[in-house]
Amino acid sequence: MPTVTTPDGAEIFYKDWGEGRPVVLAHGWPLHSDSWQVQQLFLAANGFRAIAHDRRGHGRSTQTWHGNDMDTYADDLAHLLDALDLRDVVLVGFSTGGGEVVRYLGRHGTDRVRGLVLVSAVPPFMLRTDDNPGGVPIEVFDEIRRGSLADRSQTYRDLADGPFFGGNRPGQEPSQGIRDAFWLQGLQSGHRNALECIAAFSATDFRPDLDAISAAGVATLVIHGDDDQVVPIDVGGRASAERIAGAALTVYPGAPHGITDTHARRLSTDLLSFCLEVPS
């Protein structure tokens, strides 16, 4: 099982498929790299080296007691890129993974990266505060925390059956397989890790990271569904696209949060088109 070892001893699992220019895919909460398997296979079959890792505390990576925060996630990603000596990378982040890749760029710079894609991503800043009045109230995240502590398995079932894939909307019928995969992947994360990750994705302010990306001129594509009930498009995609100079915004009409599954084919095609366009 391929892993890299971080300076604090955490083993970070990764899958490395195909040959060509590298595309690195960062997953959402509480999932792991298998959530990217459709897009990873498609990109690898079309001339790219597609790499997806399990964030610490998730999937097959070490369930550390410490380091369940965005700075450490970004440092782990930096360690992976350095260990594999990846260059001219296109970074792709879904949901929490969008925060991870953005914090990586803000913290470690753009030397290894040529392109960025944010998919249903949590930046610029999810939490409602005085200087972010359009954000999501903290009570929403507190309820997820309470549910996780009371019955984590059922909480993941409820998320998968409801807002994550839009199954609570008329006309949306995510398959049982998609919902089961969410539940299974979620339970493979560490309880503490997944619980603390809620604060990492909801209360981390990525606005300075986006400003740094904007100043560096990184080619950026933002993809977001306009019926995302987890990261509302005005909080996530539209706000990020407005903050990064030159960023392109692609809106999936009526799409929920989990478009890696519900819109897998279209997302794969859009990622491939962007990767082919980004200069090395």
Side-chain angles (χ1 to χ4, degrees):
M1 193 168 75
T3 62
V4 296
T5 305
T6 67
D8 69 351
E11 297 284 335
I12 305 298
F13 169 81
Y14 67 95
K15 297 189 286 188
D16 190 347
W17 294 356
E19 297 178 350
R21 188 174 177 186
V23 182
V24 177
L25 305 147
H27 61 81
W29 174 94
L31 307 172
H32 57 65
S33 59
D34 286 2
S35 63
W36 279 119
Q37 58 188 347
V38 173
Q39 291 76 32
Q40 187 177 9
L41 179 61
F42 185 81
L43 292 167
N46 283 278
F48 286 87
R49 181 183 177 186
I51 299 162
H53 65 293
D54 292 356
R55 185 175 305 118
R56 72 167 56 207
H58 297 69
R60 290 140 292 200
S61 292
T62 305
Q63 295 185 8
T64 56
W65 186 254
H66 56 278
N68 304 300
D69 57 82
M70 280 293 169
D71 284 354
T72 305
Y73 298 157
D75 292 350
D76 290 347
L77 178 59
H79 192 74
L80 176 68
L81 268 59
D82 290 347
L84 300 181
D85 194 22
L86 302 178
R87 301 182 185 280
D88 296 332
V89 176
V90 174
L91 284 176
V92 184
F94 167 70
S95 194
T96 299
E100 181 180 344
V101 298
V102 161
R103 179 52 53 93
Y104 165 83
L105 290 166
R107 193 169 166 85
H108 295 275
T110 61
D111 287 351
R112 292 186 180 274
V113 177
R114 293 293 175 270
L116 169 68
V117 186
L118 298 177
V119 181
S120 308
V122 297
F125 185 24
M126 281 197 73
L127 190 65
R128 179 178 295 174
T129 60
D130 289 343
D131 70 342
N132 190 41
V136 179
I138 193 169
E139 290 79 9
V140 172
F141 307 110
D142 286 342
E143 183 60 30
I144 299 173
R145 277 185 274 262
R146 278 193 293 271
S148 296
L149 289 170
D151 188 341
R152 191 160 76 111
S153 178
Q154 189 59 49
T155 296
Y156 294 167
R157 285 283 188 204
D158 292 343
L159 285 170
D161 291 344
F164 199 90
F165 298 114
N168 56 342
R169 297 296 207 209
Q172 299 291 335
E173 297 179 352
S175 73
Q176 188 67 51
I178 286 174
R179 289 178 281 146
D180 286 350
F182 179 98
W183 172 81
L184 179 62
Q185 289 180 36
L187 288 182
Q188 288 179 284
S189 63
H191 195 175
R192 174 182 170 89
N193 307 101
L195 192 65
E196 293 202 336
C197 190
I198 296 170
F201 74 68
S202 65
T204 301
D205 184 352
F206 299 100
R207 290 174 290 189
D209 305 298
L210 295 188
D211 292 343
I213 292 166
S214 185
V218 178
T220 301
L221 171 63
V222 179
I223 300 174
H224 217 108
D226 66 5
D227 195 29
D228 189 331
Q229 303 168 72
V230 178
V231 183
I233 187 170
D234 288 337
V235 175
R238 284 202 179 103
S240 288
E242 290 172 359
R243 201 169 186 103
I244 303 174
L249 172 63
T250 298
V251 178
Y252 287 10
H257 187 64
I259 58 176
T260 50
D261 289 296
T262 62
H263 293 65
R265 182 181 294 275
R266 178 178 178 185
L267 179 59
S268 296
T269 302
D270 286 346
L271 291 178
L272 178 62
S273 296
F274 179 79
C275 291
L276 290 170
E277 292 172 359
V278 172
S280 58

PDB file of all heavy atoms in Angstrom, residues 43-70:
ATOM      1  N   LEU A  43      -9.329  10.560 -15.895  1.00  0.00           N
ATOM      2  CA  LEU A  43      -8.149  11.376 -16.188  1.00  0.00           C
ATOM      3  C   LEU A  43      -6.943  10.503 -16.526  1.00  0.00           C
ATOM      4  O   LEU A  43      -6.187  10.800 -17.463  1.00  0.00           O
ATOM      5  CB  LEU A  43      -7.832  12.275 -14.992  1.00  0.00           C
ATOM      6  CG  LEU A  43      -8.850  13.386 -14.715  1.00  0.00           C
ATOM      7  CD1 LEU A  43      -8.610  14.001 -13.334  1.00  0.00           C
ATOM      8  CD2 LEU A  43      -8.774  14.468 -15.795  1.00  0.00           C
ATOM      9  N   ALA A  44      -6.767   9.414 -15.786  1.00  0.00           N
ATOM     10  CA  ALA A  44      -5.641   8.514 -16.046  1.00  0.00           C
ATOM     11  C   ALA A  44      -5.769   7.834 -17.410  1.00  0.00           C
ATOM     12  O   ALA A  44      -4.765   7.563 -18.081  1.00  0.00           O
ATOM     13  CB  ALA A  44      -5.545   7.468 -14.936  1.00  0.00           C
ATOM     14  N   ALA A  45      -6.996   7.562 -17.825  1.00  0.00           N
ATOM     15  CA  ALA A  45      -7.227   6.925 -19.127  1.00  0.00           C
ATOM     16  C   ALA A  45      -7.082   7.905 -20.276  1.00  0.00           C
ATOM     17  O   ALA A  45      -7.081   7.488 -21.450  1.00  0.00           O
ATOM     18  CB  ALA A  45      -8.618   6.287 -19.149  1.00  0.00           C
ATOM     19  N   ASN A  46      -6.973   9.189 -19.955  1.00  0.00           N
ATOM     20  CA  ASN A  46      -6.876  10.212 -20.997  1.00  0.00           C
ATOM     21  C   ASN A  46      -5.577  11.007 -20.918  1.00  0.00           C
ATOM     22  O   ASN A  46      -5.540  12.212 -21.215  1.00  0.00           O
ATOM     23  CB  ASN A  46      -8.080  11.150 -20.916  1.00  0.00           C
ATOM     24  CG  ASN A  46      -9.337  10.537 -21.491  1.00  0.00           C
ATOM     25  OD1 ASN A  46      -9.555  10.547 -22.710  1.00  0.00           O
ATOM     26  ND2 ASN A  46     -10.162   9.957 -20.622  1.00  0.00           N
ATOM     27  N   GLY A  47      -4.501  10.337 -20.498  1.00  0.00           N
ATOM     28  CA  GLY A  47      -3.171  10.910 -20.631  1.00  0.00           C
ATOM     29  C   GLY A  47      -2.644  11.681 -19.450  1.00  0.00           C
ATOM     30  O   GLY A  47      -1.630  12.394 -19.596  1.00  0.00           O
ATOM     31  N   PHE A  48      -3.259  11.557 -18.283  1.00  0.00           N
ATOM     32  CA  PHE A  48      -2.761  12.268 -17.110  1.00  0.00           C
ATOM     33  C   PHE A  48      -2.363  11.283 -16.011  1.00  0.00           C
ATOM     34  O   PHE A  48      -2.856  10.143 -15.959  1.00  0.00           O
ATOM     35  CB  PHE A  48      -3.833  13.240 -16.582  1.00  0.00           C
ATOM     36  CG  PHE A  48      -3.988  14.449 -17.461  1.00  0.00           C
ATOM     37  CD1 PHE A  48      -4.848  14.429 -18.555  1.00  0.00           C
ATOM     38  CD2 PHE A  48      -3.248  15.600 -17.219  1.00  0.00           C
ATOM     39  CE1 PHE A  48      -4.979  15.535 -19.383  1.00  0.00           C
ATOM     40  CE2 PHE A  48      -3.371  16.715 -18.045  1.00  0.00           C
ATOM     41  CZ  PHE A  48      -4.244  16.675 -19.125  1.00  0.00           C
ATOM     42  N   ARG A  49      -1.463  11.724 -15.147  1.00  0.00           N
ATOM     43  CA  ARG A  49      -1.096  10.969 -13.950  1.00  0.00           C
ATOM     44  C   ARG A  49      -2.002  11.480 -12.833  1.00  0.00           C
ATOM     45  O   ARG A  49      -1.802  12.599 -12.326  1.00  0.00           O
ATOM     46  CB  ARG A  49       0.374  11.198 -13.615  1.00  0.00           C
ATOM     47  CG  ARG A  49       0.860  10.435 -12.389  1.00  0.00           C
ATOM     48  CD  ARG A  49       2.318  10.777 -12.097  1.00  0.00           C
ATOM     49  NE  ARG A  49       2.789  10.112 -10.882  1.00  0.00           N
ATOM     50  CZ  ARG A  49       3.976  10.325 -10.323  1.00  0.00           C
ATOM     51  NH1 ARG A  49       4.830  11.202 -10.888  1.00  0.00           N
ATOM     52  NH2 ARG A  49       4.318   9.689  -9.219  1.00  0.00           N
ATOM     53  N   ALA A  50      -2.994  10.695 -12.486  1.00  0.00           N
ATOM     54  CA  ALA A  50      -4.007  11.124 -11.516  1.00  0.00           C
ATOM     55  C   ALA A  50      -3.688  10.526 -10.148  1.00  0.00           C
ATOM     56  O   ALA A  50      -3.607   9.305  -9.992  1.00  0.00           O
ATOM     57  CB  ALA A  50      -5.394  10.694 -11.970  1.00  0.00           C
ATOM     58  N   ILE A  51      -3.517  11.395  -9.172  1.00  0.00           N
ATOM     59  CA  ILE A  51      -3.110  10.982  -7.818  1.00  0.00           C
ATOM     60  C   ILE A  51      -4.169  11.454  -6.817  1.00  0.00           C
ATOM     61  O   ILE A  51      -4.574  12.618  -6.836  1.00  0.00           O
ATOM     62  CB  ILE A  51      -1.740  11.596  -7.459  1.00  0.00           C
ATOM     63  CG1 ILE A  51      -0.681  11.094  -8.455  1.00  0.00           C
ATOM     64  CG2 ILE A  51      -1.341  11.261  -6.019  1.00  0.00           C
ATOM     65  CD1 ILE A  51       0.565  11.929  -8.485  1.00  0.00           C
ATOM     66  N   ALA A  52      -4.624  10.545  -5.982  1.00  0.00           N
ATOM     67  CA  ALA A  52      -5.597  10.891  -4.941  1.00  0.00           C
ATOM     68  C   ALA A  52      -5.112  10.303  -3.622  1.00  0.00           C
ATOM     69  O   ALA A  52      -4.700   9.146  -3.567  1.00  0.00           O
ATOM     70  CB  ALA A  52      -6.984  10.353  -5.285  1.00  0.00           C
ATOM     71  N   HIS A  53      -5.155  11.108  -2.577  1.00  0.00           N
ATOM     72  CA  HIS A  53      -4.671  10.666  -1.267  1.00  0.00           C
ATOM     73  C   HIS A  53      -5.786  10.683  -0.236  1.00  0.00           C
ATOM     74  O   HIS A  53      -6.812  11.350  -0.425  1.00  0.00           O
ATOM     75  CB  HIS A  53      -3.514  11.556  -0.788  1.00  0.00           C
ATOM     76  CG  HIS A  53      -3.927  12.976  -0.522  1.00  0.00           C
ATOM     77  ND1 HIS A  53      -4.331  13.846  -1.517  1.00  0.00           N
ATOM     78  CD2 HIS A  53      -4.008  13.684   0.638  1.00  0.00           C
ATOM     79  CE1 HIS A  53      -4.630  15.009  -0.993  1.00  0.00           C
ATOM     80  NE2 HIS A  53      -4.457  14.950   0.313  1.00  0.00           N
ATOM     81  N   ASP A  54      -5.593   9.926   0.834  1.00  0.00           N
ATOM     82  CA  ASP A  54      -6.498   9.976   1.981  1.00  0.00           C
ATOM     83  C   ASP A  54      -5.936  10.973   2.994  1.00  0.00           C
ATOM     84  O   ASP A  54      -4.797  10.804   3.461  1.00  0.00           O
ATOM     85  CB  ASP A  54      -6.617   8.599   2.650  1.00  0.00           C
ATOM     86  CG  ASP A  54      -7.332   7.573   1.795  1.00  0.00           C
ATOM     87  OD1 ASP A  54      -7.820   7.926   0.699  1.00  0.00           O
ATOM     88  OD2 ASP A  54      -7.381   6.397   2.213  1.00  0.00           O
ATOM     89  N   ARG A  55      -6.725  11.974   3.307  1.00  0.00           N
ATOM     90  CA  ARG A  55      -6.301  12.943   4.327  1.00  0.00           C
ATOM     91  C   ARG A  55      -6.037  12.221   5.652  1.00  0.00           C
ATOM     92  O   ARG A  55      -6.659  11.190   5.956  1.00  0.00           O
ATOM     93  CB  ARG A  55      -7.427  13.976   4.510  1.00  0.00           C
ATOM     94  CG  ARG A  55      -7.109  15.129   5.443  1.00  0.00           C
ATOM     95  CD  ARG A  55      -8.271  16.126   5.427  1.00  0.00           C
ATOM     96  NE  ARG A  55      -8.544  16.553   4.065  1.00  0.00           N
ATOM     97  CZ  ARG A  55      -9.712  16.335   3.444  1.00  0.00           C
ATOM     98  NH1 ARG A  55     -10.699  15.737   4.062  1.00  0.00           N
ATOM     99  NH2 ARG A  55      -9.881  16.729   2.197  1.00  0.00           N
ATOM    100  N   ARG A  56      -5.107  12.727   6.452  1.00  0.00           N
ATOM    101  CA  ARG A  56      -4.853  12.081   7.755  1.00  0.00           C
ATOM    102  C   ARG A  56      -6.164  11.952   8.530  1.00  0.00           C
ATOM    103  O   ARG A  56      -7.029  12.833   8.494  1.00  0.00           O
ATOM    104  CB  ARG A  56      -3.816  12.849   8.570  1.00  0.00           C
ATOM    105  CG  ARG A  56      -4.252  14.155   9.136  1.00  0.00           C
ATOM    106  CD  ARG A  56      -3.278  14.695  10.186  1.00  0.00           C
ATOM    107  NE  ARG A  56      -1.926  14.820   9.683  1.00  0.00           N
ATOM    108  CZ  ARG A  56      -0.836  14.750  10.438  1.00  0.00           C
ATOM    109  NH1 ARG A  56      -0.954  14.561  11.744  1.00  0.00           N
ATOM    110  NH2 ARG A  56       0.362  14.877   9.914  1.00  0.00           N
ATOM    111  N   GLY A  57      -6.317  10.799   9.171  1.00  0.00           N
ATOM    112  CA  GLY A  57      -7.536  10.547   9.930  1.00  0.00           C
ATOM    113  C   GLY A  57      -8.677  10.010   9.087  1.00  0.00           C
ATOM    114  O   GLY A  57      -9.748   9.708   9.626  1.00  0.00           O
ATOM    115  N   HIS A  58      -8.487   9.897   7.787  1.00  0.00           N
ATOM    116  CA  HIS A  58      -9.530   9.432   6.881  1.00  0.00           C
ATOM    117  C   HIS A  58      -9.017   8.219   6.099  1.00  0.00           C
ATOM    118  O   HIS A  58      -7.826   8.112   5.792  1.00  0.00           O
ATOM    119  CB  HIS A  58      -9.930  10.526   5.893  1.00  0.00           C
ATOM    120  CG  HIS A  58     -10.537  11.745   6.543  1.00  0.00           C
ATOM    121  ND1 HIS A  58      -9.808  12.615   7.324  1.00  0.00           N
ATOM    122  CD2 HIS A  58     -11.801  12.231   6.522  1.00  0.00           C
ATOM    123  CE1 HIS A  58     -10.601  13.587   7.752  1.00  0.00           C
ATOM    124  NE2 HIS A  58     -11.824  13.380   7.281  1.00  0.00           N
ATOM    125  N   GLY A  59      -9.957   7.321   5.756  1.00  0.00           N
ATOM    126  CA  GLY A  59      -9.618   6.188   4.901  1.00  0.00           C
ATOM    127  C   GLY A  59      -8.474   5.356   5.434  1.00  0.00           C
ATOM    128  O   GLY A  59      -8.503   4.885   6.569  1.00  0.00           O
ATOM    129  N   ARG A  60      -7.432   5.180   4.628  1.00  0.00           N
ATOM    130  CA  ARG A  60      -6.333   4.291   4.958  1.00  0.00           C
ATOM    131  C   ARG A  60      -5.119   5.019   5.524  1.00  0.00           C
ATOM    132  O   ARG A  60      -4.055   4.416   5.693  1.00  0.00           O
ATOM    133  CB  ARG A  60      -5.960   3.494   3.695  1.00  0.00           C
ATOM    134  CG  ARG A  60      -7.033   2.475   3.312  1.00  0.00           C
ATOM    135  CD  ARG A  60      -7.274   2.372   1.834  1.00  0.00           C
ATOM    136  NE  ARG A  60      -7.897   3.593   1.326  1.00  0.00           N
ATOM    137  CZ  ARG A  60      -8.579   3.675   0.175  1.00  0.00           C
ATOM    138  NH1 ARG A  60      -8.700   2.613  -0.586  1.00  0.00           N
ATOM    139  NH2 ARG A  60      -9.108   4.824  -0.227  1.00  0.00           N
ATOM    140  N   SER A  61      -5.235   6.311   5.776  1.00  0.00           N
ATOM    141  CA  SER A  61      -4.150   7.065   6.405  1.00  0.00           C
ATOM    142  C   SER A  61      -4.247   6.960   7.925  1.00  0.00           C
ATOM    143  O   SER A  61      -5.276   6.568   8.469  1.00  0.00           O
ATOM    144  CB  SER A  61      -4.188   8.538   5.967  1.00  0.00           C
ATOM    145  OG  SER A  61      -3.874   8.652   4.588  1.00  0.00           O
ATOM    146  N   THR A  62      -3.161   7.342   8.593  1.00  0.00           N
ATOM    147  CA  THR A  62      -3.093   7.219  10.044  1.00  0.00           C
ATOM    148  C   THR A  62      -4.144   8.076  10.741  1.00  0.00           C
ATOM    149  O   THR A  62      -4.344   9.240  10.385  1.00  0.00           O
ATOM    150  CB  THR A  62      -1.697   7.654  10.541  1.00  0.00           C
ATOM    151  OG1 THR A  62      -0.702   6.893   9.864  1.00  0.00           O
ATOM    152  CG2 THR A  62      -1.563   7.440  12.043  1.00  0.00           C
ATOM    153  N   GLN A  63      -4.806   7.474  11.728  1.00  0.00           N
ATOM    154  CA  GLN A  63      -5.755   8.227  12.544  1.00  0.00           C
ATOM    155  C   GLN A  63      -4.995   8.890  13.684  1.00  0.00           C
ATOM    156  O   GLN A  63      -5.007   8.424  14.823  1.00  0.00           O
ATOM    157  CB  GLN A  63      -6.865   7.303  13.061  1.00  0.00           C
ATOM    158  CG  GLN A  63      -7.742   6.729  11.961  1.00  0.00           C
ATOM    159  CD  GLN A  63      -8.921   5.917  12.476  1.00  0.00           C
ATOM    160  OE1 GLN A  63      -9.187   5.900  13.675  1.00  0.00           O
ATOM    161  NE2 GLN A  63      -9.615   5.250  11.579  1.00  0.00           N
ATOM    162  N   THR A  64      -4.360   9.993  13.365  1.00  0.00           N
ATOM    163  CA  THR A  64      -3.596  10.715  14.385  1.00  0.00           C
ATOM    164  C   THR A  64      -4.537  11.363  15.392  1.00  0.00           C
ATOM    165  O   THR A  64      -5.672  11.721  15.069  1.00  0.00           O
ATOM    166  CB  THR A  64      -2.755  11.824  13.727  1.00  0.00           C
ATOM    167  OG1 THR A  64      -3.622  12.682  12.981  1.00  0.00           O
ATOM    168  CG2 THR A  64      -1.713  11.230  12.800  1.00  0.00           C
ATOM    169  N   TRP A  65      -4.057  11.536  16.608  1.00  0.00           N
ATOM    170  CA  TRP A  65      -4.839  12.264  17.623  1.00  0.00           C
ATOM    171  C   TRP A  65      -4.774  13.763  17.374  1.00  0.00           C
ATOM    172  O   TRP A  65      -5.693  14.520  17.652  1.00  0.00           O
ATOM    173  CB  TRP A  65      -4.305  11.930  19.009  1.00  0.00           C
ATOM    174  CG  TRP A  65      -5.118  12.518  20.128  1.00  0.00           C
ATOM    175  CD1 TRP A  65      -4.788  13.581  20.923  1.00  0.00           C
ATOM    176  CD2 TRP A  65      -6.420  12.077  20.558  1.00  0.00           C
ATOM    177  NE1 TRP A  65      -5.792  13.824  21.820  1.00  0.00           N
ATOM    178  CE2 TRP A  65      -6.802  12.914  21.634  1.00  0.00           C
ATOM    179  CE3 TRP A  65      -7.278  11.066  20.164  1.00  0.00           C
ATOM    180  CZ2 TRP A  65      -8.017  12.768  22.300  1.00  0.00           C
ATOM    181  CZ3 TRP A  65      -8.495  10.919  20.816  1.00  0.00           C
ATOM    182  CH2 TRP A  65      -8.847  11.764  21.866  1.00  0.00           C
ATOM    183  N   HIS A  66      -3.666  14.194  16.804  1.00  0.00           N
ATOM    184  CA  HIS A  66      -3.398  15.618  16.612  1.00  0.00           C
ATOM    185  C   HIS A  66      -3.436  15.959  15.110  1.00  0.00           C
ATOM    186  O   HIS A  66      -3.527  15.074  14.263  1.00  0.00           O
ATOM    187  CB  HIS A  66      -1.994  15.949  17.156  1.00  0.00           C
ATOM    188  CG  HIS A  66      -0.939  15.099  16.519  1.00  0.00           C
ATOM    189  ND1 HIS A  66      -0.658  13.808  16.944  1.00  0.00           N
ATOM    190  CD2 HIS A  66      -0.144  15.310  15.439  1.00  0.00           C
ATOM    191  CE1 HIS A  66       0.292  13.283  16.184  1.00  0.00           C
ATOM    192  NE2 HIS A  66       0.614  14.170  15.259  1.00  0.00           N
ATOM    193  N   GLY A  67      -3.345  17.243  14.823  1.00  0.00           N
ATOM    194  CA  GLY A  67      -3.175  17.682  13.437  1.00  0.00           C
ATOM    195  C   GLY A  67      -4.423  17.654  12.582  1.00  0.00           C
ATOM    196  O   GLY A  67      -4.321  17.602  11.357  1.00  0.00           O
ATOM    197  N   ASN A  68      -5.585  17.691  13.209  1.00  0.00           N
ATOM    198  CA  ASN A  68      -6.827  17.673  12.427  1.00  0.00           C
ATOM    199  C   ASN A  68      -7.269  19.098  12.111  1.00  0.00           C
ATOM    200  O   ASN A  68      -8.333  19.548  12.540  1.00  0.00           O
ATOM    201  CB  ASN A  68      -7.904  16.925  13.219  1.00  0.00           C
ATOM    202  CG  ASN A  68      -7.472  15.516  13.600  1.00  0.00           C
ATOM    203  OD1 ASN A  68      -7.189  14.701  12.739  1.00  0.00           O
ATOM    204  ND2 ASN A  68      -7.381  15.241  14.904  1.00  0.00           N
ATOM    205  N   ASP A  69      -6.438  19.794  11.360  1.00  0.00           N
ATOM    206  CA  ASP A  69      -6.680  21.196  11.028  1.00  0.00           C
ATOM    207  C   ASP A  69      -6.140  21.472   9.630  1.00  0.00           C
ATOM    208  O   ASP A  69      -5.350  20.705   9.095  1.00  0.00           O
ATOM    209  CB  ASP A  69      -5.996  22.105  12.048  1.00  0.00           C
ATOM    210  CG  ASP A  69      -4.494  21.826  12.141  1.00  0.00           C
ATOM    211  OD1 ASP A  69      -3.744  22.335  11.291  1.00  0.00           O
ATOM    212  OD2 ASP A  69      -4.086  21.059  13.047  1.00  0.00           O
ATOM    213  N   MET A  70      -6.558  22.575   9.063  1.00  0.00           N
ATOM    214  CA  MET A  70      -6.221  22.855   7.667  1.00  0.00           C
ATOM    215  C   MET A  70      -4.730  23.088   7.440  1.00  0.00           C
ATOM    216  O   MET A  70      -4.200  22.715   6.392  1.00  0.00           O
ATOM    217  CB  MET A  70      -7.019  24.064   7.168  1.00  0.00           C
ATOM    218  CG  MET A  70      -8.433  23.724   6.778  1.00  0.00           C
ATOM    219  SD  MET A  70      -8.478  22.640   5.303  1.00  0.00           S
ATOM    220  CE  MET A  70     -10.227  22.169   5.346  1.00  0.00           C
TER     221      MET A  70
END
